[in-house]
Amino acid sequence: MHSNTLLHPLTLRRAVPADLSGVLSLLADTSEWLHRQGVRQWPRGGFGPERIEPLIEEQVLYVLEGDFGATVATIALDGHADAEFWTPADEPGSALYVHKLAVSRAASGAGLGDALLDWAGASVAACGLDWLRLDCSKDNARLQHYYRRRGFRHLRTVDLPHRASGALFQRPAMVRTSTADGLFRTMDLVNA
């Protein structure tokens, strides 16, 4: 039975090297689910450790863990504007960027993605920046609609043949769209 109510508190914390296998597994499961939906945003089978380990080392990858330390969601938040998408005219330094946002299928529908985006927006504001930005698949209308409903504005789509991503979105730092207050607690986080 699927429930939209979480009975146990979740903890958001910075990922550490011991989290690598759980994060890789979550991203692989999410990628496979996307592929079954016909979405080719992420590589089939997920990402290799060479893509995730640097995020852990830079301390920009976060895990949301539930019972027994199981990773139920992940998000990276950093100042790395993808130069293929974000131009100097976008003032890339005025924003933080979301990457690798994924929620386990078992926890989907509980508002975790919304809550993580709201946390990211609050983190952007705490850093004194203006924008929370992300890019997503050019062909995933459902995901683009999700982001629009969460207060993001579509800026443009950059169509590069070697990239599945390219739909660029941003929203002001402090926009809150979830009612998920108290859904998770944060541990020892210094704002990104």
Side-chain angles (χ1 to χ4, degrees):
M1 181 168 127
H2 181 71
S3 171
N4 287 341
T5 304
L6 296 174
L7 301 176
H8 302 285
L10 301 170
T11 301
L12 181 67
R13 62 173 177 76
R14 288 187 195 279
V16 297
D19 294 313
L20 181 62
S21 66
V23 170
L24 291 175
S25 179
L26 173 61
L27 294 174
D29 291 348
T30 302
S31 178
E32 186 57 34
W33 178 80
L34 287 169
H35 275 262
R36 285 194 308 271
Q37 306 299 309
V39 176
R40 304 294 183 256
Q41 178 160 332
W42 286 351
R44 188 141 205 188
F47 298 93
E50 71 282 355
R51 294 281 303 274
I52 305 306
E53 286 171 331
L55 300 174
I56 294 172
E57 290 167 8
E58 293 176 38
Q59 298 186 342
V60 298
L61 183 70
Y62 299 85
V63 293
L64 189 60
E65 63 182 18
D67 292 338
F68 310 108
T71 300
V72 298
T74 187
I75 186 172
L77 182 65
D78 60 37
H80 302 305
D82 189 322
E84 287 192 310
F85 297 148
W86 303 99
T87 69
D90 294 317
E91 299 180 19
S94 66
L96 291 180
Y97 300 81
V98 170
H99 314 278
K100 309 297 182 282
L101 174 60
V103 176
S104 72
R105 298 294 59 191
S108 68
L112 298 181
D114 297 355
L116 286 169
L117 289 170
D118 286 350
W119 167 82
S123 297
V124 171
C127 291
L129 300 174
D130 299 322
W131 302 106
L132 178 61
R133 290 180 175 158
L134 55 86
D135 62 87
C136 71
S137 174
K138 299 174 280 199
D139 300 325
N140 191 342
R142 187 170 139 193
L143 183 59
Q144 291 179 31
H145 181 67
Y146 169 82
Y147 287 129
R148 283 185 178 99
R149 287 191 332 260
R150 269 61 190 177
F152 285 86
R153 183 171 62 93
H154 178 252
L155 297 178
R156 67 183 171 278
T157 297
V158 178
D159 191 13
L160 301 173
H162 64 284
R163 301 286 299 267
S165 197
L168 307 184
F169 288 83
Q170 74 177 15
R171 78 178 191 194
M174 282 303 291
V175 170
R176 293 188 58 82
T177 61
S178 80
T179 56
D181 290 333
L183 203 57
F184 59 80
R185 63 188 182 97
T186 57
M187 287 187 61
D188 303 323
L189 298 182
V190 177
N191 289 318

